[in-house]
Amino acid sequence: MSLTYDEMLDTHDSLKRTGDYVGGKAEAYRRMAAARERIVFLGCGSSYCLSESAARMTVMHLGRPAVALAGGDVLVHREAYATVFDKALVVTISRSGSTSEIVYALEKMRELADFDVVSINCVEGSPLSKAGVLALDMPWASLPACAKPGAPPV
């Protein structure tokens, strides 16, 4: 079979596993979010697009203040974002868990603001997993090695 076909067949199981896993962490996330004034979703590239959706869903369904920010923008303009980060729950979204702009932005923002971090990524033990108080590591949601950017064609 092809890689695409195999992934299509596995989609149901992956979504079920993800739903069960995230559901098991939901109460911890709710407690953390309730203790903070707002939720900041932080991503780069396609993860930034996911951050935008997550922020909108948070406002629509939870009625909580939320914003999505691009990691690179926060890194470059960190002083401008200090009040946004202060007293916030920051949710990082990164497939690799190592997106440099997000890792460095968190390091620099910690000097300027008080916030907690939840990481959502596909690599267990990644730098972003270690940066937060709650890590949602989902290695089963990662691309197969042969489908990663820069991998040789199959």
Side-chain angles (χ1 to χ4, degrees):
M1 293 291 159
S2 73
L3 176 64
T4 303
Y5 186 72
D6 291 344
E7 286 225 342
M8 287 170 49
L9 292 177
D10 191 46
T11 298
H12 178 269
D13 293 335
S14 292
L15 288 173
K16 170 99 172 75
R17 185 172 181 186
T18 300
D20 292 345
Y21 178 73
V22 171
K25 305 275 186 172
E27 187 54 39
Y29 178 80
R30 279 190 205 97
R31 280 195 309 272
M32 290 175 64
R36 294 299 181 161
E37 292 181 3
R38 74 192 63 77
I39 302 171
V40 174
F41 292 91
L42 192 59
C44 291
S46 60
S47 294
Y48 171 69
C49 293
L50 292 172
S51 296
E52 284 282 358
S53 294
R56 286 190 184 104
M57 293 297 110
T58 298
V59 172
M60 286 172 41
H61 295 289
L62 301 179
R64 295 291 313 275
V67 64
L69 300 173
D73 194 41
V74 171
L75 183 59
V76 173
H77 304 288
R78 58 188 169 270
E79 291 81 11
Y81 289 111
T83 57
V84 176
F85 271 69
D86 199 41
K87 298 179 180 70
L89 175 61
V90 177
V91 179
T92 63
I93 302 176
S94 167
R95 182 183 297 274
S96 69
S98 303
T99 307
S100 59
E101 295 95 326
I102 298 174
V103 172
Y104 295 137
L106 289 179
E107 286 176 11
K108 296 299 182 184
M109 290 308 294
R110 287 195 192 282
E111 298 168 7
L112 303 173
D114 170 44
F115 57 90
D116 288 328
V117 175
V118 170
S119 67
I120 301 173
N121 58 72
C122 297
V123 178
E124 294 176 303
S126 69
L128 288 174
S129 292
K130 295 174 184 174
V133 291
L134 178 63
L136 298 168
D137 296 334
M138 296 173 271
W140 60 88
S142 184
L143 291 172
C146 60
K148 292 189 177 168
V154 245

